[in-house]
Amino acid sequence: MPVDHGRPLALVTGANRGIGLEVVRQLVERGCDVLAGARDPAAGRRAATEIDPGGSRVSACPLDIADPASIAAAAAQLTERYGRLDILVNNAAISYDPSARAITVDLDGVHTALETNLFGAWRLTQALLPLLRRSPHPRIVNVSSEGGSISQLTGGTPAYSVSKAALNALTRLLAGELREDRFLVNAICPGWTATDMGGGGGRPVAAGAASVVWAALLPDDGPTGGFFRDGRPLPW
């Protein structure tokens, strides 16, 4: 029989470090149970134990979003154990490439970035839609970047920027198609934060994660199909 503790259930990808790990921590503090998705199962278990040593609120979920078989296995596990999902946070991302240029970049590398940053989030969302439809308050949060804002692009970081611009487009499509089913789907830019991908600079990770958590816990009359940082709209 599926487990139901009466608390919102969230899945966060890329949850073993950085913004993903902090999003898990803040969602637990806000009353959610959380599945910490991580490509490395051992790293996922360490993250879950760090936040919830007792194991009652956070569970590790082995999940490589670039691998369709891994996505299928995770979806089957969630269906069997929980039977529903309330919040999906597509956070996992790779290939921040500030030294590359669109005119010379290795397109194989761009393809690799798209497989995770766009298609991974897309495949996972499709696989988990049946579980999200069982929630009274379904939320999908795509962790994006202002680097994917088409109106702001001038050059550089081609793999990352194109993949995040595409993720923003996917956000709009999902929001429109799922609006009648009560979904709220938004893209969030956490800003430049002090993570490994951010190069160790920028604002505190907790501040960037708070933007993501804001979208994950929006009330039913909250926005959908938007692009935000700190609860304020960003240009597409």
Side-chain angles (χ1 to χ4, degrees), residues 139-220:
R139 306 287 182 264
I140 299 173
V141 184
N142 293 326
V143 180
S144 185
S145 168
E146 198 168 8
S149 172
I150 291 177
S151 63
Q152 306 298 308
L153 294 180
T154 57
T157 61
Y160 190 75
S161 294
V162 168
S163 67
K164 290 301 187 179
L167 184 65
N168 285 353
L170 176 63
T171 300
R172 293 284 290 177
L173 292 172
L174 292 173
E177 294 177 5
L178 294 169
R179 185 185 300 269
E180 293 185 359
D181 295 326
R182 312 176 322 280
F183 280 70
L184 299 184
V185 186
N186 291 289
I188 299 297
C189 171
W192 181 39
T193 55
T195 63
D196 291 344
M197 183 174 286
R203 65 179 183 164
V205 173
S211 281
V212 179
V213 172
W214 170 82
L217 300 179
L218 282 170
D220 288 344

Side-chain angles (χ1 to χ4, degrees), residues 16-220:
N16 57 294
R17 63 180 182 176
I19 288 174
L21 181 63
E22 181 60 23
V23 167
V24 173
R25 190 189 316 276
Q26 292 187 21
L27 284 173
V28 170
E29 291 173 352
R30 298 288 296 275
C32 298
D33 290 344
V34 184
L35 300 163
R39 183 171 51 185
D40 178 352
R45 290 191 295 270
R46 286 194 297 270
T49 301
E50 174 185 333
I51 296 173
D52 179 31
S56 63
R57 302 290 301 283
V58 182
S59 299
C61 179
L63 179 58
D64 180 355
I65 64 169
D67 180 359
S70 178
I71 288 176
Q77 175 189 340
L78 267 64
T79 300
E80 179 178 358
R81 183 172 182 186
Y82 300 99
R84 78 177 211 287
L85 184 66
D86 300 291
I87 300 163
L88 171 60
V89 178
N90 287 310
N91 168 71
I94 61 171
S95 299
Y96 184 66
D97 53 341
S99 63
R101 294 294 178 267
I103 55 177
T104 55
V105 67
D106 179 356
L107 293 182
D108 287 340
V110 177
H111 185 275
T112 298
L114 287 167
E115 275 299 319
T116 293
N117 299 357
L118 173 63
F119 293 115
W122 202 336
R123 287 191 193 101
L124 183 62
T125 299
Q126 287 184 333
L128 297 181
L129 272 178
L131 294 175
L132 287 161
R133 290 184 189 278
R134 298 176 187 174
S135 170
H137 312 285
R139 306 287 182 264
I140 299 173
V141 184
N142 293 326
V143 180
S144 185
S145 168
E146 198 168 8
S149 172
I150 291 177
S151 63
Q152 306 298 308
L153 294 180
T154 57
T157 61
Y160 190 75
S161 294
V162 168
S163 67
K164 290 301 187 179
L167 184 65
N168 285 353
L170 176 63
T171 300
R172 293 284 290 177
L173 292 172
L174 292 173
E177 294 177 5
L178 294 169
R179 185 185 300 269
E180 293 185 359
D181 295 326
R182 312 176 322 280
F183 280 70
L184 299 184
V185 186
N186 291 289
I188 299 297
C189 171
W192 181 39
T193 55
T195 63
D196 291 344
M197 183 174 286
R203 65 179 183 164
V205 173
S211 281
V212 179
V213 172
W214 170 82
L217 300 179
L218 282 170
D220 288 344

